[in-house]
Amino acid sequence: QVQLVESGGGLVQPGASLTLSCAASSSTLDYYTIGWFRQAPGRAREGLACISGKENTTYYTPSVKDRFIISKDNAKKEVYLQLNNLEPEDTAVYSCSMGPYPYPSANTFILLEKFGYWGQGTQVTVSS
């Protein structure tokens, strides 16, 4: 059983940036793909970005590709999501998930939703 802990959320003004962290209890990230998701009130959970634990291969949902950046630190077993130029519409609970899938793609979001390990999420609120 892998445990994930997200941190870094908070209340920010429109246009601000925020970096979220996802710390994994697994012995290594190498055998996993890790994804970031968000869920706003009344809306379905949305996959944002995912990254290969062993390589630097990434995949982004097109709607966030120009503003969000996913990265990782294998030594720390942490995955990050940098949120730039935040908008009120970005207000949501942001969660990370990981599973033993070798290649980040749109399909990875579906697999993680169904079978991945999940953290508890961190709230991001964008408001003036």
Side-chain angles (χ1 to χ4, degrees):
Q1 184 79 10
V2 175
Q3 294 183 329
L4 302 173
V5 179
E6 301 95 334
S7 61
L11 172 63
V12 296
Q13 293 187 338
S17 295
L18 205 58
T19 298
L20 309 180
S21 299
C22 172
S25 67
S26 58
S27 59
T28 178
L29 297 180
D30 287 358
Y31 308 123
Y32 299 93
T33 291
I34 303 92
W36 278 100
F37 295 74
R38 70 182 176 187
Q39 188 166 22
R43 300 188 66 177
R45 187 155 54 191
E46 174 187 16
L48 302 173
C50 49
I51 188 168
S52 166
K54 189 169 187 178
E55 301 171 349
N56 288 319
T57 309
T58 60
Y59 177 84
Y60 292 90
T61 291
S63 62
V64 302
K65 187 174 184 178
D66 293 336
R67 295 191 298 124
F68 295 177
I69 302 171
I70 191 169
S71 62
K72 62 188 175 76
D73 185 326
N74 283 70
K76 293 183 178 180
K77 298 179 292 179
E78 292 185 351
V79 178
Y80 310 103
L81 186 68
Q82 181 179 334
L83 314 175
N84 298 313
N85 193 22
L86 283 162
E87 305 167 351
E89 292 73 23
D90 295 316
T91 295
V93 175
Y94 286 70
S95 301
C96 60
S97 178
M98 66 189 295
Y101 311 118
Y103 193 79
S105 69
N107 191 54
T108 304
F109 294 135
I110 299 173
L111 293 172
L112 289 174
E113 284 250 40
K114 289 185 176 181
F115 307 114
Y117 298 106
W118 286 89
Q120 82 290 348
T122 185
Q123 176 72 44
V124 173
T125 303
V126 185
S127 175
S128 56

